[in-house]
């Protein structure tokens, strides 16, 4: 290990990375540790981070503001694809890892580091997401993953290590949920959630962080209108907003109305099932609004095929394959479908529910003259008989063959 003189650490200040700094220095010949925190909307979690990193042995801390790039270049392309993992997960942690890892690589190369270190466990998806991104930009960089090396076996043992090294923590053994927070969402794992039979304690003080449970939401609905231009949300209730401000505003509205709380037992990339609770209030609203707009602006075949693309896109994001030719190619296809996804979507938010309340677009393919149940002069209902005869011809031929066999 003597060839490792300088290590760049993906640093959040949470339990794992807090103890990794002294661990690296103990196990890698007192190497220099440079900590890097990618700011993707953790807010208060970044407070006091520099002092903590330096006190525990880091030579310096970079805090990189990635919020705008995160939303515009990673979140919005995923929304445009309507990519949802296993019908529920809006990929909050998944697409935050590639952008953080990319910036860490850039700093590691600039600093002349010998290795990059992360605090992901050997059971999770994040180790794959970080390391695939590192390989994409620094294929020969050594990667240190302490969870695959050290003797610590649990979060309780990590806390003991921190206490022995006088490392301050913001958690206790009783509140030791494994959490990941950014501008898009927050995830909760561990403790009582490890048993799928247990109902999450949504109303317990301090559990939900981005909003309230549906039971605690107001009895009065909230209406919101979201405007899109080529699949990208640009305004709320007529007010133009930047990407970051728009997501924050919808987080507020969604959180207040108990929107976007998901309890999911998901299939991790590494093969196991894991249970987590996700809060994604603003994101849930955006997905609903974007899909509603596509209902009237995309033709049937494109809309249906795009649903298949969305499933594969979600897998690529979840599996950490953002920087791959296939993901880029799928994004190119998705972008081509968004040329007409422009318009306004009105939604009613009420006690955890999102209710459609109207949609308009200058590119709408909906024609009331054709669809009406009233008398019209543009659709000849007699034409349907010939259509059905041709469409059903294979069924008719097969049925006749079956009768002959009998």
């Amino acid at each position: 290990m003597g060839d490792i003189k300088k290590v760049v650490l993906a640093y959040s200040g949470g339990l794992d990375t807090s103890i990794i700094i002294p661990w690296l220095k103990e196990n890698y010949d007192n190497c220099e540790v440079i900590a890097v925190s990618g700011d993707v909307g953790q807010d208060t979690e970044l407070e006091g981070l520099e002092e903590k990193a330096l006190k525990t042995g880091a030579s310096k801390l970079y805090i990189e503001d990635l919020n705008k790039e995160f939303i515009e270049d990673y979140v919005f392309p995923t929304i445009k694809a309507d990519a949802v993992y296993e019908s529920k997960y809006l990929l909050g942690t998944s697409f935050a890892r590639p952008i953080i890892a990319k910036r860490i690589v850039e700093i590691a190369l600039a600093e002349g580091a010998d290795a990059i270190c992360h605090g992901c466990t050997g059971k999770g998806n994040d180790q794959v997401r970080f390391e695939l991104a590192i390989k994409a930009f620094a294929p020969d960089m050594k990667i240190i993953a302490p969870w695959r090396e050290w003797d610590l076996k649990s979060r309780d043992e990590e806390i003991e290590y921190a206490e022995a090294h006088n490392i301050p923590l913001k958690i206790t053994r009783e509140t030791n949920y494994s959490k990941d927070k950014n501008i898009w969402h927050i995830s909760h794992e561990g403790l009582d959630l490890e048993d799928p039979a247990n109902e999450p304690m949504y109303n317990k003080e301090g559990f939900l962080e981005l909003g309230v449970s549906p039971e605690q939401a107001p009895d009065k609905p909230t209406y919101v209108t979201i405007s899109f231009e080529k699949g990208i949300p640009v305004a709320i209730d007529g007010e133009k907003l930047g990407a970051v401000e728009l997501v924050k505003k919808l987080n507020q509205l969604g959180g207040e109305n108990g929107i976007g709380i998901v309890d999911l037992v998901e299939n991790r990339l590494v093969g196991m099932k894991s249970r987590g609770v996700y809060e994604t209030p603003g994101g849930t609203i955006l997905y609903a609004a974007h899909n509603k707009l596509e209902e009237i602006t995309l033709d049937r075949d494109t809309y249906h095929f795009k649903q298949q693309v969305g499933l594969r896109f979600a897998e690529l994001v979840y599996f950490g394959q953002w920087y791959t030719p296939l993901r880029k190619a799928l994004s190119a296809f998705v972008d081509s479908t968004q040329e007409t996804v422009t318009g306004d979507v009105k939604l009613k938010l009420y006690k955890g529910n999102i209710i459609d309340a109207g949609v308009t677009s200058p590119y709408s393919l909906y024609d009331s003259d054709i669809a009406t149940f009233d008398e019209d002069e543009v659709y000849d209902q007699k034409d349907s008989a010939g259509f059905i005869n041709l469409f059903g011809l294979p069924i008719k031929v097969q049925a006749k063959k079956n009768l002959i066999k009998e």
Side-chain angles (χ1 to χ4, degrees), residues 85-329:
Y85 187 70
E86 297 190 339
S87 302
K88 288 185 176 182
Y89 178 38
L90 300 187
L91 300 164
T93 298
S94 306
F95 49 32
R97 296 315 188 216
I99 184 176
I100 293 172
K102 177 173 176 285
R103 186 64 187 124
I104 288 171
V105 169
E106 292 168 349
I107 291 173
L109 294 175
E111 287 280 358
D114 303 302
I116 291 174
C117 179
H118 64 74
C120 308
T121 75
K123 288 185 176 182
N125 301 303
D126 279 346
Q127 59 181 333
V128 182
R129 296 165 184 157
F130 269 111
E131 295 188 28
L132 292 190
I134 293 169
K135 292 179 187 299
F137 297 100
D140 296 323
M141 179 70 68
K142 179 176 175 56
I143 299 172
I144 300 174
W147 269 102
R148 302 202 291 257
E149 295 184 25
W150 63 23
D151 295 327
L152 303 176
K153 302 300 182 184
S154 67
R155 289 176 68 81
D156 277 347
E157 289 186 10
E158 286 186 286
I159 292 175
E160 291 173 3
Y161 183 97
E163 291 170 346
H165 289 75
N166 298 313
I167 299 172
L169 300 174
K170 295 181 179 180
I171 61 172
T172 67
R173 287 172 172 79
E174 290 72 31
T175 61
N176 187 21
Y177 286 107
S178 176
K179 298 189 178 188
D180 177 74
K181 180 181 180 181
N182 58 45
I183 191 175
W184 184 248
H185 90 151
I186 185 169
S187 63
H188 311 261
E189 294 179 311
L191 297 181
D192 55 297
L193 298 179
E194 291 189 346
D195 185 350
N198 292 331
E199 180 182 4
M201 296 181 288
Y202 296 129
N203 293 323
K204 181 181 178 181
E205 184 177 355
F207 182 75
L208 294 177
E209 296 189 25
L210 298 184
V212 299
S213 68
E215 297 95 327
Q216 295 174 318
D219 292 330
K220 180 180 178 181
T222 298
Y223 285 89
V224 60
T225 299
I226 304 170
S227 301
F228 290 83
E229 292 180 4
K230 295 186 176 181
I232 297 174
V234 295
I236 297 175
D237 294 331
E239 179 186 4
K240 291 276 187 177
L241 294 171
V244 174
E245 292 73 22
L246 186 142
V247 172
K248 287 183 176 180
K249 178 65 175 177
L250 290 179
N251 275 339
Q252 175 197 336
L253 293 174
E256 291 170 349
N257 287 278
I259 303 295
I261 302 170
V262 167
D263 181 358
L264 172 63
V265 177
E266 70 198 58
N267 289 290
R268 285 184 178 174
L269 173 59
V270 294
M272 70 184 70
K273 290 184 181 290
S274 67
R275 197 269 190 102
V277 170
Y278 298 101
E279 299 177 61
T280 320
T284 303
I285 296 171
L286 280 177
Y287 266 85
H290 179 261
N291 187 262
K292 187 64 182 178
L293 186 56
E294 286 190 327
E295 286 182 7
I296 67 169
T297 57
L298 297 186
D299 65 277
R300 179 190 64 197
D301 288 347
T302 300
Y303 185 68
H304 288 181
F305 186 75
K306 188 169 175 291
Q307 289 178 321
Q308 299 176 49
V309 170
L311 292 174
R312 188 69 180 100
F313 198 105
E315 286 184 338
L316 291 173
V317 177
Y318 188 85
F319 295 164
Q321 295 173 297
W322 186 270
Y323 302 114
T324 60
L326 178 56
R327 200 283 306 167
K328 293 175 184 177

